[in-house]
Amino acid sequence: MSTYISEANKHIQDYLDYYFDGKKNFEYAVLLNGAWGSGKTWFVKKYLEKKEDQGKKICYVSLNGIAKTSLIDEAIFKSIHPILGSKGAKLAGQILKGTLKATVKIDLDGDSKSDGSISGGIPKIELPDYLKINDNFILVFDDLERCELKKEEVLGYINYFVEQEGIKTLIVSNEEEIKDNDEYARKKEKLIGATFSYIEDQNLAIKSILDEISEVDLKSILNSEIELITQTFNQVGYKNLRAFKQTIFDFERFYKRKYFEDKDDSFDSEIFKKVLRAFLILSLENKKGRFDKEVLNFKSDLNEENSKKPVDKIVESISGFVGEKAQEFKKKYQMNLAEYMFSKDLWDQILNKNIINDSLISNELYQIYFRLKEEPPTWFKLWHYLDLEQKEFEELVKEAKLTIENQSLTNVTDILHTVSMLVYFKEKSLIFFSIESLLVLAINQYKKIVNLQENIKKFGYFDICDESGGYGLYARELPIFQKFLKDIAQAYEDKYIEKNEERGKLLLTLMENDSYEFYQQITNKFYDYPILNALEPKGFINQLCKINYRCAMSAIDGLKSRYTAHSQAKIYLQEEKWFERVIEVTNEKLAQPITILEKHKLQDKFLPNLTEIKNTAYKG
């Protein structure tokens, strides 16, 4: 077995052994350079573990975020004397240099109050012999580029230990992030005697990260899928091992064996691999900054969207990837949206909100995978229709037709695929009965069973591919099926609109009982949807007069924010008639017999604000 940590970097290990194990006073430090996430820190720590096993005394200091040399002193002291250097015993000052001339205060209980002091020019602290600085002592400074001090100042500081104390020192850095200058170059030339560039040893680094998994069962499974993991990591192209390590640990937190077990409690490796690959892709792309706030949410170009033909929009919506950047992402991984296994909302919960909801995860895996294996619907049996005998094919087609005629399908996925396959078979002259009436029945059944989601208001936001179960739709390119998709999208929107009266009543209630939530709903939740058309203008003004003045002005502020924002939806134009009627009703109310205070509110407070909103509203 090789004694090298990394074969690709064995020359570095050989030189460090020569440097640290020899008796020579080298009077220079060694610099190890490497990109962030390349694994150089992991390599260094593994090497230091070997040195500790050989009896070396290690002082490892990260310079990340350090802004004063005194903090480096303290970090060094904590490293060589972890008991006195702990939170229970904070010592400040330049201990190792012997330049401390003030009183050293000791806080033993961590309450930031001194519990005693040691007076004198040099602290009278006798370190045990095994901590004394000698040939067995190794000093390591990591993250030089992240130190907040001037880098030349840090090198000058480190030079004291190398030149005056003869301490063998390793500096670890990513020099690409350091702005070079003459002073830095001069200090570096004086201090550094040997420089090495760490060669990323990807396979070794990935294996070492997997070895840190605590769950024995998961560690074994992941190690058996290391080829898939490595391939996906390289495909993402985000060569940052820190981010990869975090992703693996996030997966460990997410993982429960029961998610991947069938009804007989047998582990299904196929679904595990699908979820693992999707998790790696989405997590790493998310850390890379690919998405806009939410997982699988791509920034769109308004001009690009407006220039597209309706048929192109339909095709994109079927795929679930809308916009140029989304299409680039789709081509990169050659995966349909449903092949990412979970819905966008669930992925966002898992990766951004750190919410692991067992029931949602299990339910989505059941619907998209286990249900099709355990209780295969008719369309699924027809999927490989070319392998069927003629009689079996005819019986299954008859069964599929009956499920639509009897409106017995209770799953959106089943409706989509059943219609898709019948349309496809008709196009290929494999069936001869009329399907037009079946499409009408399927649309009605779809509208009956589809679950409304408040944040999905119409077709532009309804990713039909989310409901296709990870299987491509046979008839997706056929005009009759594309019209069917438009019709069910309209059915969804119609069902959503039917709830608007109920939503309008809720908004009026919120105006009085929760003005903050009313503001949030009309400026965020419904920012792009003309929900205010569901409110009777007279009822809105009456409610405005009825509630307390603070809540009324909050509602008006909400209107101002809603209509003056440069929204893509040009929401004012969609509600312009409603808003103009609100102003008319206000004037009508002023012409009626009302109290002096109510007239004051309407005439001097509400109406001027409403008029100003009308004049400044964004009309696109």
Side-chain angles (χ1 to χ4, degrees), residues 604-617:
D604 299 330
K605 300 297 181 182
F606 297 165
L607 190 57
N609 275 285
L610 294 173
T611 304
E612 181 188 357
I613 292 171
K614 178 182 177 180
N615 293 333
T616 58

Side-chain angles (χ1 to χ4, degrees), residues 181-208:
N181 58 61
D182 291 341
E183 183 63 15
Y184 173 78
R186 188 179 67 80
K187 294 281 188 183
K188 179 181 172 182
E189 184 179 2
K190 180 181 179 182
L191 173 63
I192 306 299
T195 300
F196 294 93
S197 292
Y198 180 77
I199 300 170
E200 182 180 318
D201 194 338
Q202 186 186 90
N203 292 338
L204 182 66
I206 289 175
K207 286 178 182 177
S208 72

